Amino acid sequence: MSNSPIEKISTVRLGTEGPQIGVQGFGAMGISEFYGDTDEAAARDTLEATVEAGVTLIDTADVYGSGANEEFLAPFLAAHRDEVTLATKFAIERRADDPHYRAINNSPAYIKKAVEASLRRLGIETIDLYYMHRRDPRTPLAESVGAMAELVQEGKIKYLGLSEVTGAELREAYAVHPIAALQSEWSVFSRDVERSAVPAAAELGVTFVPYSPLGRGFLTGAFADASKDLSGGDFRQFQPRFTGDNAKTNAALLEPLHKIAAAHGATTAQIALAWVQQRAQVHGLTVVPIPGTRKRTRLLENTGATRITLSAEELALLEPVAGQVAGDRYPDMSSTSAAREQ
């Protein structure tokens, strides 16, 4: 391990009244599930590197590993509580007796139960940023956000977040209680959020937190076809754009990323992240992507992207890519914001 000092990334404000956080965050999901086996020692070292690099927004959810991800973060939080802005989420229910079961629950009673469970697993007294992970239209949004607002009054959470909501839903929620952050997939490959969610966030002063800014690793060149290149426990094998003819089509779309990366002496991952970071200037809002990794070297590679500026010509090369991507983000898109756009 190198002892050379790590350059810290710059900071931005979370929402309109939140704390200063690093301009790039960290998605912890892959440590516990979805992307194959994890070297826990390497993952803990990577977490230590986040603090060293100024990556202070750490993102988890109760559904990741059915609570295991929150539990994994607890020792790290105990050592660095004052340095970290911790985000977790509720809404996706799982069952221990059925690994394939998923249900979305936004009821106030469930929210109150979920927050207590997350606080216990994380070993903290207050969650900095609490997200509604997915929207269940059967529960009025005002009821869900109202229950979250009560948690603020009780001191159990500080700031409210939403994930995968439309611009109209964001405005409706904000009318009940200020929303600090909106988290949805946003990358060179996935730009449906620009239709309504991004303009609404810019208008309201809501920080946009792009998840999967590296296309779940596809934009890095880590794999070309999930069904051939990844282990049996990797859920990317079930995502339409990463297998078969779709994967072949999409791999060809990476050519401009390779070209730009070569010009900057950078990796394709860094160019993909730089593109996401520059959405802040393009759309006039705060953008804090949360790439995930289990390796210190990748974490530092990712933060290096915050110091890359793409030219207008380079941005133009990447502009048409998303429109040419084959396959949806998920096998079932029904719980995404795209499914509820008017």
Side-chain angles (χ1 to χ4, degrees), residues 164 166 192 329 332-342:
E164 288 283 357
T166 66
D192 50 270
R329 295 192 277 127
D332 178 2
M333 290 285 286
S334 63
S335 63
T336 66
S337 60
R340 298 190 304 279
E341 287 283 9
Q342 299 299 315

Side-chain angles (χ1 to χ4, degrees), residues 2-247:
S2 173
N3 292 320
S4 58
I6 296 175
E7 184 176 354
K8 287 186 179 289
I9 60 175
S10 59
T11 64
V12 291
R13 184 171 298 284
L14 175 65
T16 57
E17 299 178 349
Q20 288 290 122
I21 57 174
V23 74
Q24 185 180 108
F26 178 80
M29 180 183 80
I31 292 174
S32 299
E33 195 177 11
F34 305 109
Y35 296 140
D37 295 336
T38 292
D39 179 332
E40 291 196 359
R44 292 203 181 282
D45 182 52
T46 302
L47 284 173
E48 291 298 323
T50 63
V51 175
E52 296 167 30
V55 176
T56 57
L57 178 65
I58 308 298
D59 183 274
T60 183
D62 59 5
V63 72
Y64 302 158
S66 297
N69 198 246
E70 291 180 327
E71 292 173 346
F72 185 86
L73 289 173
F76 170 76
L77 293 172
H80 299 286
R81 190 67 191 100
D82 294 340
E83 302 164 273
V84 167
T85 297
L86 188 282
T88 192
K89 315 179 196 74
F90 73 88
I92 303 177
E93 291 186 285
R94 300 177 72 171
R95 288 178 179 167
D97 61 350
D98 182 355
H100 302 293
Y101 178 83
R102 300 287 190 280
I104 301 175
N105 194 335
N106 290 173
S107 71
Y110 177 77
I111 295 170
K112 292 177 181 179
K113 177 182 175 182
V115 76
E116 296 294 348
S118 286
L119 287 168
R120 183 177 65 252
R121 286 189 293 262
L122 291 161
I124 58 180
E125 295 182 355
T126 305
I127 293 166
D128 299 310
L129 176 59
Y130 200 42
Y131 285 103
M132 178 191 294
H133 204 163
R134 290 293 186 271
R135 169 90 177 97
D136 178 8
R138 295 172 299 181
T139 301
L141 191 55
E143 289 186 14
S144 303
V145 177
M148 296 169 74
E150 289 178 9
L151 297 179
V152 174
Q153 295 169 359
E154 294 169 10
K156 293 174 181 176
I157 67 176
K158 292 182 181 178
Y159 303 100
L160 274 54
L162 301 173
S163 179
E164 288 283 357
V165 297
T166 66
E169 290 168 336
L170 177 59
R171 289 188 178 92
E172 181 183 350
Y174 203 100
V176 177
H177 188 280
I179 305 298
L182 168 57
Q183 179 178 142
S184 289
E185 187 164 352
W186 198 8
S187 73
V188 172
F189 264 29
S190 300
R191 298 180 60 179
D192 50 270
V193 293
E194 294 174 22
R195 180 174 177 182
S196 73
V198 169
E203 173 189 321
L204 296 169
V206 175
T207 294
F208 207 104
V209 180
Y211 73 78
S212 299
L214 295 173
R216 302 193 185 279
F218 193 83
L219 294 172
T220 73
F223 68 98
D225 186 323
S227 62
K228 298 177 181 178
D229 302 336
L230 302 176
S231 65
D234 197 305
F235 94 123
R236 289 170 290 186
Q237 295 180 345
F238 305 102
Q239 292 188 293
R241 60 180 50 170
F242 300 143
T243 59
D245 289 341
N246 286 348

